[in-house]
Amino acid sequence: MDKNNWGPKLKHELHALIPVIAFFFVAFQLLAITQALILKQYGVRIPVFLAATVGALVVAKVVLIADHFPLVNRFPEKPLIYNVAWKTAIYFVASLAVRYGEHLIHFWRQSGDLATANRRLINEIVWPHFWGVQLWLLVLLLVYCTFRELVRALGRERVIKMFFTEPPRSGQAVDSESNHP
């Protein structure tokens, strides 16, 4: 790659990364707070901010990389719900694997044996808490994928205008397609 192309490429990557990081930062902080509040009833205090922030950064970059694979953008010509449901499912399964892996690594460090670590994880994890956090993440991923697909379909500038400029006056159409009697 030519050195002169690095600046615009880096700017483009950062421009694409910032909204994703912002979304997942908020989402992971909510998940971390939920988990901390759940564990608090057992007297367990965990530092959540740093882990949630690092998790958000990693997931944001993984999502942006995954979006370049044809498998992820499987239904661009179909109604938005197809890509929303598909991407939500892919990201959810990936998050499920990562969260399971996080817990597995914790037990593996203690036991030194992967099979023992997996047995301990299955026996010792508080499954209702695990699934509660996963459900939160599923809803947040659904919101994320819905907004991403809306931005893809409507265009970034139009969505920004719709959300952050003055709303139409009473009786005024939102767009030109709705401007018929």
Side-chain angles (χ1 to χ4, degrees), residues 144-174:
Y144 170 76
C145 291
T146 301
F147 275 106
R148 280 291 298 271
E149 289 302 306
L150 281 171
V151 168
R152 182 183 63 81
L154 297 174
R156 185 175 188 269
E157 289 76 23
R158 187 170 177 198
V159 171
I160 289 171
K161 184 178 177 184
M162 290 170 67
F163 274 89
F164 298 109
T165 62
E166 290 184 32
R169 292 187 303 265
S170 180
Q172 184 181 3
V174 175

Side-chain angles (χ1 to χ4, degrees), residues 53-99:
T53 302
V54 169
L57 292 170
V58 169
V59 168
K61 190 58 182 170
V62 167
V63 164
L64 284 178
I65 291 169
D67 280 344
H68 292 297
F69 291 106
L71 173 71
V72 175
N73 293 307
R74 193 165 185 176
F75 307 105
E77 303 303 320
K78 297 220 177 202
L80 293 183
I81 191 65
Y82 285 81
N83 258 349
V84 168
W86 178 249
K87 288 179 180 183
T88 300
I90 288 173
Y91 299 151
F92 180 74
V93 168
S95 74
L96 184 64
V98 167
R99 288 203 65 237

Side-chain angles (χ1 to χ4, degrees), residues 10-151:
L10 183 60
K11 184 178 178 182
H12 173 74
E13 286 293 316
L14 287 173
H15 192 53
L17 195 57
I18 289 171
V20 183
I21 288 174
F23 180 86
F24 283 107
F25 175 80
V26 171
F28 275 56
Q29 294 304 327
L30 285 171
L31 290 169
I33 289 168
T34 300
Q35 191 169 20
L37 291 172
I38 289 170
L39 292 174
K40 188 176 181 178
Q41 77 182 19
Y42 299 106
V44 177
R45 296 189 188 274
I46 58 171
V48 296
F49 182 80
L50 184 60
T53 302
V54 169
L57 292 170
V58 169
V59 168
K61 190 58 182 170
V62 167
V63 164
L64 284 178
I65 291 169
D67 280 344
H68 292 297
F69 291 106
L71 173 71
V72 175
N73 293 307
R74 193 165 185 176
F75 307 105
E77 303 303 320
K78 297 220 177 202
L80 293 183
I81 191 65
Y82 285 81
N83 258 349
V84 168
W86 178 249
K87 288 179 180 183
T88 300
I90 288 173
Y91 299 151
F92 180 74
V93 168
S95 74
L96 184 64
V98 167
R99 288 203 65 237
Y100 190 88
E102 285 176 338
H103 291 293
L104 185 62
I105 289 170
H106 170 74
F107 287 111
W108 178 61
R109 284 182 182 163
Q110 292 175 353
S111 69
D113 176 54
L114 198 56
T116 303
N118 194 53
R119 277 193 301 280
R120 282 194 58 204
L121 183 145
I122 291 169
N123 292 330
E124 295 180 28
I125 194 169
V126 181
W127 288 106
H129 295 171
F130 179 86
W131 289 112
V133 171
Q134 281 304 119
L135 286 173
W136 247 114
L137 187 55
L138 177 63
V139 170
L140 293 167
L141 287 169
L142 180 63
V143 169
Y144 170 76
C145 291
T146 301
F147 275 106
R148 280 291 298 271
E149 289 302 306
L150 281 171
V151 168

